[in-house]
Coordinates of all heavy atoms in Angstrom, one line a residue:
M1 N -102.8 20.1 91.1 CA -101.5 19.6 91.4 C -101.5 18.1 91.5 O -102.5 17.5 92.0 CB -101.0 20.1 92.8 CG -99.7 19.6 93.2 SD -99.1 20.4 94.7 CE -98.0 21.6 93.9
I2 N -100.5 17.4 91.0 CA -100.4 16.0 91.0 C -99.7 15.5 92.2 O -98.7 16.0 92.6 CB -99.6 15.5 89.7 CG1 -100.4 16.0 88.5 CG2 -99.4 14.0 89.7 CD1 -99.7 15.7 87.2
N3 N -100.2 14.5 92.9 CA -99.6 13.9 94.1 C -98.4 13.1 93.7 O -98.1 12.9 92.5 CB -100.7 13.1 94.8 CG -101.7 13.9 95.4 OD1 -101.5 15.1 95.7 ND2 -102.9 13.3 95.6
S4 N -97.8 12.5 94.7 CA -96.6 11.7 94.5 C -96.9 10.6 93.6 O -98.1 10.1 93.4 CB -96.2 11.1 95.9 OG -95.2 10.2 95.7
V5 N -95.9 10.1 92.9 CA -96.1 9.0 91.9 C -96.7 7.8 92.5 O -97.5 7.1 91.9 CB -94.7 8.7 91.3 CG1 -94.8 7.5 90.3 CG2 -94.2 9.9 90.5
G6 N -96.4 7.5 93.8 CA -97.1 6.3 94.4 C -96.2 5.7 95.4 O -95.0 6.0 95.6
P7 N -96.8 4.8 96.2 CA -96.1 4.1 97.3 C -94.9 3.3 96.7 O -93.9 3.1 97.4 CB -97.1 3.3 98.0 CG -98.2 3.1 97.0 CD -98.2 4.3 96.1
G8 N -95.0 2.8 95.5 CA -93.9 2.0 95.0 C -92.7 2.8 94.8 O -91.6 2.3 95.1
L9 N -92.8 4.0 94.3 CA -91.6 4.9 94.2 C -91.1 5.2 95.6 O -89.8 5.2 95.8 CB -92.0 6.1 93.4 CG -90.8 7.1 93.2 CD1 -89.7 6.4 92.4 CD2 -91.3 8.3 92.4
A10 N -91.9 5.6 96.5 CA -91.5 5.9 97.8 C -90.7 4.7 98.5 O -89.7 4.9 99.1 CB -92.7 6.3 98.7
A11 N -91.2 3.5 98.3 CA -90.6 2.4 98.8 C -89.2 2.1 98.2 O -88.2 1.8 98.8 CB -91.5 1.1 98.6
A12 N -89.1 2.4 96.9 CA -87.9 2.2 96.1 C -86.8 3.2 96.6 O -85.7 2.9 96.8 CB -88.1 2.4 94.6
I13 N -87.3 4.4 96.9 CA -86.4 5.5 97.4 C -85.9 5.1 98.8 O -84.7 5.2 99.1 CB -87.0 6.9 97.3 CG1 -87.3 7.3 95.9 CG2 -86.2 7.9 98.1 CD1 -88.1 8.5 95.7
E14 N -86.8 4.7 99.6 CA -86.5 4.3 101.0 C -85.5 3.1 101.0 O -84.5 3.1 101.7 CB -87.7 4.0 101.8 CG -87.4 3.7 103.3 CD -86.8 4.9 104.0 OE1 -87.1 6.1 103.6 OE2 -86.1 4.7 105.0
T15 N -85.7 2.2 100.1 CA -84.8 1.0 100.0 C -83.5 1.5 99.6 O -82.4 1.0 100.1 CB -85.4 0.0 99.0 OG1 -86.7 -0.5 99.5 CG2 -84.5 -1.2 98.8
S16 N -83.4 2.4 98.6 CA -82.1 2.9 98.2 C -81.4 3.6 99.3 O -80.2 3.4 99.5 CB -82.4 3.9 97.0 OG -81.1 4.5 96.6
K17 N -82.1 4.4 100.1 CA -81.5 5.1 101.2 C -80.9 4.1 102.2 O -79.8 4.2 102.7 CB -82.5 6.0 101.9 CG -82.8 7.2 101.1 CD -83.8 8.1 101.8 CE -84.3 9.3 101.0 NZ -85.3 10.0 101.7
L18 N -81.7 3.0 102.5 CA -81.2 2.0 103.4 C -80.0 1.3 102.9 O -79.1 1.0 103.6 CB -82.4 1.0 103.7 CG -83.5 1.5 104.5 CD1 -84.7 0.5 104.6 CD2 -83.1 1.9 105.9
R19 N -80.0 1.0 101.6 CA -78.9 0.3 100.9 C -77.7 1.2 101.0 O -76.6 0.7 101.3 CB -79.3 0.0 99.5 CG -78.2 -0.8 98.8 CD -78.5 -1.1 97.3 NE -79.8 -1.7 97.1 CZ -80.8 -1.2 96.4 NH1 -80.6 -0.1 95.7 NH2 -81.9 -1.9 96.3
E20 N -77.8 2.5 100.8 CA -76.6 3.3 100.9 C -76.1 3.4 102.3 O -74.9 3.4 102.5 CB -77.0 4.8 100.4 CG -77.2 4.8 98.9 CD -76.0 4.4 98.1 OE1 -74.9 4.8 98.4 OE2 -76.2 3.7 97.1
G21 N -77.0 3.4 103.3 CA -76.5 3.4 104.7 C -75.8 2.1 105.0 O -74.8 2.2 105.7
A22 N -76.3 1.0 104.5 CA -75.7 -0.3 104.8 C -74.3 -0.3 104.1 O -73.4 -0.9 104.7 CB -76.6 -1.4 104.3
K23 N -74.2 0.2 102.9 CA -72.9 0.2 102.2 C -71.9 1.0 103.0 O -70.7 0.5 103.2 CB -73.0 0.8 100.9 CG -73.7 0.0 99.8 CD -73.7 0.7 98.5 CE -74.4 -0.1 97.5 NZ -74.5 0.6 96.2
S24 N -72.3 2.1 103.6 CA -71.3 2.9 104.3 C -70.9 2.3 105.6 O -69.8 2.5 106.1 CB -71.8 4.3 104.5 OG -72.9 4.3 105.4
K25 N -71.8 1.5 106.2 CA -71.5 0.9 107.5 C -70.7 -0.4 107.4 O -69.8 -0.7 108.2 CB -72.8 0.6 108.3 CG -73.5 1.9 108.7 CD -74.8 1.6 109.5 CE -75.5 2.9 109.8 NZ -76.8 2.7 110.4
S26 N -71.0 -1.2 106.4 CA -70.4 -2.5 106.4 C -70.2 -3.0 105.0 O -70.7 -4.0 104.5 CB -71.3 -3.6 107.1 OG -72.5 -3.7 106.5
V27 N -69.3 -2.3 104.3 CA -69.0 -2.6 102.9 C -68.4 -4.0 102.8 O -68.8 -4.8 101.9 CB -68.1 -1.5 102.2 CG1 -67.7 -2.0 100.9 CG2 -68.8 -0.2 102.2
G28 N -67.5 -4.3 103.7 CA -66.9 -5.6 103.6 C -67.8 -6.8 103.8 O -67.8 -7.7 103.0
S29 N -68.7 -6.7 104.7 CA -69.6 -7.8 104.9 C -70.7 -7.9 103.8 O -71.0 -9.0 103.4 CB -70.4 -7.7 106.3 OG -71.2 -6.5 106.3
V30 N -71.1 -6.8 103.3 CA -72.0 -6.8 102.2 C -71.4 -7.4 100.9 O -71.9 -8.3 100.2 CB -72.6 -5.4 101.8 CG1 -73.4 -5.4 100.6 CG2 -73.4 -4.9 103.0
A31 N -70.1 -7.1 100.7 CA -69.4 -7.6 99.5 C -69.2 -9.1 99.7 O -69.3 -9.9 98.8 CB -68.1 -6.9 99.3
G32 N -68.9 -9.5 100.9 CA -68.7 -10.9 101.2 C -70.0 -11.8 100.9 O -69.9 -12.8 100.3
V33 N -71.1 -11.2 101.4 CA -72.4 -11.9 101.2 C -72.7 -12.0 99.7 O -73.1 -13.0 99.1 CB -73.5 -11.3 102.0 CG1 -74.8 -11.8 101.6 CG2 -73.3 -11.4 103.4
A34 N -72.4 -10.8 99.0 CA -72.7 -10.8 97.5 C -71.9 -11.8 96.8 O -72.3 -12.5 95.9 CB -72.5 -9.4 97.0
T35 N -70.6 -11.9 97.2 CA -69.7 -12.9 96.5 C -70.2 -14.3 96.7 O -70.2 -15.1 95.8 CB -68.3 -12.7 97.0 OG1 -67.9 -11.4 96.7 CG2 -67.3 -13.6 96.3
Q36 N -70.6 -14.6 98.0 CA -71.1 -15.9 98.2 C -72.4 -16.2 97.5 O -72.6 -17.3 96.9 CB -71.4 -16.1 99.7 CG -70.1 -16.1 100.6 CD -70.4 -16.1 102.1 OE1 -71.6 -16.0 102.5 NE2 -69.4 -16.2 102.9
A37 N -73.3 -15.2 97.4 CA -74.6 -15.4 96.7 C -74.4 -15.6 95.2 O -75.2 -16.2 94.6 CB -75.5 -14.2 97.0
A38 N -73.3 -15.0 94.7 CA -73.1 -15.1 93.3 C -72.2 -16.3 92.9 O -71.7 -16.4 91.8 CB -72.4 -13.8 92.8
G39 N -72.1 -17.2 93.9 CA -71.3 -18.4 93.6 C -69.8 -18.1 93.5 O -69.2 -18.7 92.6
M40 N -69.3 -17.3 94.3 CA -67.9 -16.9 94.3 C -67.5 -16.3 93.0 O -66.3 -16.3 92.7 CB -67.0 -18.1 94.7 CG -67.3 -18.6 96.1 SD -66.9 -17.4 97.3 CE -67.3 -18.2 98.8
S41 N -68.4 -15.8 92.2 CA -68.1 -15.2 91.0 C -67.8 -13.7 91.2 O -68.4 -13.0 92.0 CB -69.3 -15.3 90.0 OG -69.1 -14.6 88.8
S42 N -66.9 -13.2 90.4 CA -66.6 -11.8 90.5 C -66.8 -11.1 89.1 O -66.2 -10.1 88.8 CB -65.1 -11.5 90.9 OG -64.2 -12.1 90.0
S43 N -67.8 -11.7 88.4 CA -68.1 -11.1 87.1 C -68.8 -9.7 87.3 O -69.4 -9.5 88.3 CB -69.0 -12.0 86.3 OG -70.3 -12.0 86.9
P44 N -68.7 -8.9 86.3 CA -69.4 -7.6 86.4 C -70.9 -7.7 86.6 O -71.5 -7.0 87.4 CB -69.1 -6.9 85.1 CG -67.9 -7.6 84.6 CD -67.9 -9.0 85.1
A45 N -71.5 -8.7 86.0 CA -73.0 -8.9 86.1 C -73.3 -9.3 87.6 O -74.3 -8.8 88.1 CB -73.4 -10.0 85.2
A46 N -72.5 -10.1 88.2 CA -72.7 -10.5 89.6 C -72.6 -9.4 90.5 O -73.4 -9.2 91.4 CB -71.8 -11.7 90.0
R47 N -71.6 -8.5 90.3 CA -71.4 -7.3 91.1 C -72.5 -6.4 90.9 O -73.0 -5.8 91.9 CB -70.1 -6.7 90.8 CG -68.8 -7.4 91.3 CD -67.6 -6.6 91.2 NE -67.3 -6.1 89.8 CZ -66.6 -6.8 89.0 NH1 -66.0 -8.0 89.3 NH2 -66.3 -6.3 87.8
M48 N -73.0 -6.2 89.7 CA -74.1 -5.3 89.5 C -75.4 -5.8 90.1 O -76.2 -5.0 90.7 CB -74.3 -5.1 88.0 CG -73.2 -4.2 87.3 SD -73.4 -4.1 85.5 CE -74.9 -3.2 85.3
A49 N -75.6 -7.1 90.1 CA -76.8 -7.7 90.7 C -76.8 -7.5 92.2 O -77.8 -7.3 92.8 CB -76.9 -9.1 90.3
A50 N -75.6 -7.6 92.8 CA -75.5 -7.5 94.2 C -75.7 -6.1 94.7 O -76.2 -5.8 95.8 CB -74.1 -8.0 94.6
Q51 N -75.4 -5.1 93.8 CA -75.6 -3.7 94.2 C -77.0 -3.3 94.1 O -77.4 -2.3 94.7 CB -74.7 -2.8 93.3 CG -73.2 -3.0 93.5 CD -72.4 -2.2 92.5 OE1 -72.9 -1.7 91.5 NE2 -71.1 -2.1 92.8
G52 N -77.8 -3.9 93.3 CA -79.2 -3.6 93.1 C -79.3 -2.5 92.0 O -78.4 -2.1 91.4
A53 N -80.6 -2.1 91.8 CA -80.8 -1.2 90.7 C -80.4 0.2 91.1 O -80.6 0.6 92.3 CB -82.3 -1.2 90.4
P54 N -79.8 0.9 90.2 CA -79.3 2.3 90.5 C -80.5 3.2 90.6 O -81.5 3.1 89.8 CB -78.4 2.7 89.4 CG -78.8 1.8 88.3 CD -79.3 0.5 88.9
V55 N -80.5 4.1 91.5 CA -81.6 5.1 91.7 C -81.0 6.5 91.7 O -80.2 6.8 92.5 CB -82.4 4.8 93.0 CG1 -83.5 5.9 93.1 CG2 -83.1 3.5 92.9
D56 N -81.4 7.3 90.7 CA -80.9 8.7 90.6 C -81.9 9.6 91.3 O -82.9 10.1 90.7 CB -80.7 9.1 89.2 CG -80.0 10.4 89.0 OD1 -80.0 11.2 90.0 OD2 -79.6 10.7 87.9
L57 N -81.7 9.8 92.6 CA -82.7 10.6 93.4 C -82.8 12.0 92.9 O -83.9 12.6 93.0 CB -82.3 10.6 94.9 CG -82.4 9.2 95.5 CD1 -81.9 9.3 97.0 CD2 -83.7 8.6 95.4
D58 N -81.7 12.6 92.4 CA -81.8 14.0 91.8 C -82.7 14.0 90.6 O -83.5 15.0 90.5 CB -80.4 14.5 91.5 CG -79.5 14.7 92.7 OD1 -80.0 14.9 93.8 OD2 -78.3 14.6 92.5
K59 N -82.6 13.0 89.7 CA -83.4 13.0 88.5 C -84.9 12.8 88.9 O -85.8 13.4 88.3 CB -82.9 11.9 87.6 CG -83.6 11.9 86.3 CD -83.0 10.9 85.3 CE -83.7 11.0 83.9 NZ -83.0 10.2 83.0
I60 N -85.1 11.9 89.9 CA -86.5 11.7 90.3 C -87.1 13.0 90.9 O -88.2 13.3 90.6 CB -86.5 10.6 91.4 CG1 -86.2 9.2 90.7 CG2 -87.9 10.5 92.1 CD1 -85.9 8.1 91.7
G61 N -86.3 13.7 91.7 CA -86.8 14.9 92.2 C -87.1 16.0 91.2 O -88.1 16.7 91.3
A62 N -86.2 16.0 90.2 CA -86.5 17.0 89.1 C -87.7 16.7 88.3 O -88.5 17.6 87.9 CB -85.3 17.0 88.1
I63 N -87.9 15.4 88.0 CA -89.2 15.0 87.3 C -90.4 15.3 88.1 O -91.4 15.8 87.6 CB -89.1 13.5 86.9 CG1 -88.0 13.3 85.8 CG2 -90.4 13.0 86.4 CD1 -87.7 11.9 85.5
K64 N -90.3 14.9 89.4 CA -91.5 15.2 90.3 C -91.8 16.7 90.3 O -93.0 17.1 90.3 CB -91.3 14.7 91.7 CG -91.3 13.1 91.8 CD -90.9 12.6 93.1 CE -92.2 12.6 94.0 NZ -91.9 11.9 95.3
A65 N -90.8 17.5 90.4 CA -91.0 19.0 90.4 C -91.6 19.5 89.1 O -92.5 20.3 89.1 CB -89.7 19.7 90.7
A66 N -91.1 18.9 88.0 CA -91.6 19.3 86.7 C -93.1 18.9 86.5 O -93.9 19.7 86.0 CB -90.8 18.7 85.6
I67 N -93.4 17.7 87.0 CA -94.8 17.3 87.0 C -95.7 18.2 87.8 O -96.8 18.6 87.4 CB -95.0 15.8 87.4 CG1 -94.3 14.9 86.4 CG2 -96.4 15.4 87.7 CD1 -94.2 13.4 86.8
A68 N -95.2 18.5 89.1 CA -96.0 19.3 90.0 C -96.3 20.7 89.4 O -97.3 21.3 89.6 CB -95.3 19.4 91.3
S69 N -95.3 21.2 88.7 CA -95.4 22.6 88.1 C -96.1 22.6 86.8 O -96.4 23.7 86.2 CB -94.1 23.3 88.0 OG -93.3 22.6 87.0
G70 N -96.4 21.4 86.2 CA -97.1 21.3 84.9 C -96.1 21.5 83.8 O -96.6 21.8 82.7
N71 N -94.8 21.4 84.0 CA -93.9 21.6 82.9 C -93.2 20.3 82.5 O -92.1 20.3 81.9 CB -92.7 22.5 83.4 CG -93.3 23.9 83.7 OD1 -94.1 24.4 83.0 ND2 -92.8 24.5 84.7
Y72 N -93.9 19.2 82.6 CA -93.3 17.9 82.2 C -94.0 17.5 80.9 O -95.2 17.2 80.8 CB -93.6 16.8 83.2 CG -92.8 15.5 82.9 CD1 -91.5 15.4 83.1 CD2 -93.5 14.4 82.4 CE1 -90.8 14.2 82.9 CE2 -92.8 13.3 82.1 CZ -91.5 13.2 82.3 OH -90.8 12.0 82.0
P73 N -93.3 17.6 79.8 CA -93.9 17.3 78.5 C -94.2 15.8 78.3 O -93.3 15.0 78.6 CB -92.8 17.8 77.5 CG -91.5 17.7 78.2 CD -91.8 17.9 79.7
V74 N -95.3 15.5 77.8 CA -95.7 14.1 77.4 C -96.1 14.1 76.0 O -97.1 14.8 75.6 CB -96.8 13.6 78.4 CG1 -97.3 12.2 78.0 CG2 -96.4 13.7 79.8
D75 N -95.4 13.3 75.2 CA -95.7 13.2 73.8 C -96.4 11.8 73.6 O -95.6 10.8 73.5 CB -94.5 13.4 72.9 CG -94.8 13.4 71.4 OD1 -95.9 13.0 71.0 OD2 -93.9 13.9 70.7
A76 N -97.7 11.8 73.5 CA -98.4 10.5 73.5 C -98.0 9.7 72.2 O -97.9 8.4 72.3 CB -99.9 10.7 73.5
D77 N -97.7 10.3 71.1 CA -97.3 9.6 69.9 C -96.0 8.9 70.1 O -95.8 7.8 69.6 CB -97.2 10.6 68.7 CG -98.6 11.1 68.3 OD1 -99.6 10.4 68.5 OD2 -98.6 12.2 67.7
V78 N -95.0 9.5 70.7 CA -93.7 8.9 71.0 C -93.9 7.7 71.9 O -93.3 6.7 71.7 CB -92.7 10.0 71.5 CG1 -91.4 9.3 72.0 CG2 -92.4 11.0 70.5
I79 N -94.7 7.9 73.0 CA -94.9 6.8 73.9 C -95.5 5.6 73.2 O -95.1 4.5 73.4 CB -95.7 7.3 75.1 CG1 -94.9 8.3 75.9 CG2 -96.2 6.1 76.0 CD1 -95.8 9.1 77.0
A80 N -96.6 5.9 72.4 CA -97.3 4.8 71.7 C -96.3 4.1 70.8 O -96.3 2.9 70.7 CB -98.5 5.4 70.9
Q81 N -95.5 4.8 70.0 CA -94.6 4.2 69.1 C -93.6 3.3 69.9 O -93.2 2.2 69.4 CB -93.8 5.3 68.3 CG -92.9 4.7 67.2 CD -93.7 3.8 66.2 OE1 -94.7 4.2 65.7 NE2 -93.3 2.6 66.0
K82 N -93.1 3.8 71.0 CA -92.1 3.0 71.7 C -92.8 1.7 72.3 O -92.1 0.7 72.4 CB -91.5 3.8 72.9 CG -90.5 4.8 72.3 CD -89.7 5.5 73.4 CE -88.8 6.5 72.7 NZ -87.7 7.0 73.5
M83 N -94.0 1.8 72.7 CA -94.7 0.6 73.2 C -94.9 -0.4 72.0 O -94.7 -1.6 72.2 CB -96.1 1.0 73.8 CG -96.0 1.8 75.1 SD -97.5 2.4 75.7 CE -98.4 0.9 76.1
L84 N -95.2 0.1 70.8 CA -95.4 -0.8 69.7 C -94.0 -1.4 69.3 O -94.0 -2.6 69.0 CB -95.9 0.0 68.5 CG -97.4 0.4 68.6 CD1 -97.8 1.3 67.4 CD2 -98.3 -0.8 68.6
D85 N -93.0 -0.6 69.4 CA -91.6 -1.1 69.1 C -91.2 -2.3 70.0 O -90.6 -3.2 69.6 CB -90.6 0.0 69.2 CG -90.7 1.0 68.1 OD1 -91.4 0.7 67.1 OD2 -90.1 2.1 68.2
L86 N -91.7 -2.2 71.3 CA -91.4 -3.3 72.2 C -92.2 -4.5 71.9 O -91.7 -5.7 72.2 CB -91.7 -2.8 73.7 CG -90.8 -1.8 74.3 CD1 -91.4 -1.3 75.6 CD2 -89.4 -2.3 74.5
D87 N -93.4 -4.4 71.4 CA -94.3 -5.6 71.2 C -94.1 -6.2 69.8 O -94.4 -7.4 69.6 CB -95.7 -5.2 71.4 CG -96.1 -5.0 72.8 OD1 -95.4 -5.5 73.7 OD2 -97.0 -4.2 73.1
L88 N -93.7 -5.4 68.8 CA -93.7 -5.9 67.5 C -92.3 -6.5 67.2 O -91.3 -5.9 67.6 CB -94.0 -4.8 66.4 CG -95.4 -4.3 66.5 CD1 -95.6 -3.1 65.5 CD2 -96.4 -5.4 66.2
P89 N -92.2 -7.7 66.5 CA -90.9 -8.2 66.2 C -90.2 -7.3 65.2 O -90.7 -6.8 64.3 CB -91.2 -9.6 65.6 CG -92.6 -9.5 65.2 CD -93.3 -8.5 66.0
Q90 N -88.9 -7.1 65.5 CA -88.1 -6.3 64.5 C -87.5 -7.2 63.5 O -86.8 -8.2 63.8 CB -86.9 -5.6 65.3 CG -87.4 -4.8 66.5 CD -88.2 -3.6 66.0 OE1 -87.9 -2.9 65.1 NE2 -89.3 -3.3 66.7
G91 N -87.7 -7.0 62.3 CA -87.3 -7.9 61.3 C -86.8 -7.3 60.1 O -86.1 -7.2 59.3

């Protein structure tokens, strides 16, 4: 059986939970700080940056369950090709 993905993932999940709790308690103050931090900008990019990275806990749980049961397919050729695509200039 494979153990948890690691402390980095656990920390990200915990941070997400804390962020969601803070949003429900003080949405107004969080939005005010985000607006000030973004230079009083209300651009979509500034709003997205203030919200942080989205975390889909349901998807994470499904992937962890699939890995634990041995049903998570890994295609090494596809992974290798995508890594090469990131490194090689597209021309």
Side-chain angles (χ1 to χ4, degrees):
M1 177 176 263
I2 298 174
N3 291 333
S4 176
V5 174
L9 179 59
I13 292 171
E14 186 62 30
T15 300
S16 175
K17 288 179 184 176
L18 291 173
R19 185 181 305 125
E20 290 302 317
K23 281 182 187 177
S24 65
K25 290 180 184 174
S26 61
V27 172
S29 64
V30 171
V33 170
T35 302
Q36 290 173 355
M40 297 298 180
S41 174
S42 63
S43 72
R47 286 192 302 271
M48 289 174 65
Q51 291 173 351
V55 177
D56 186 346
L57 296 177
D58 292 334
K59 186 172 184 177
I60 291 170
I63 291 171
K64 288 176 87 172
I67 291 171
S69 68
N71 294 322
Y72 189 77
V74 176
D75 188 341
D77 291 331
V78 171
I79 293 171
Q81 185 59 50
K82 288 188 179 198
M83 290 174 69
L84 289 172
D85 291 344
L86 289 173
D87 288 335
L88 296 176
Q90 303 296 318

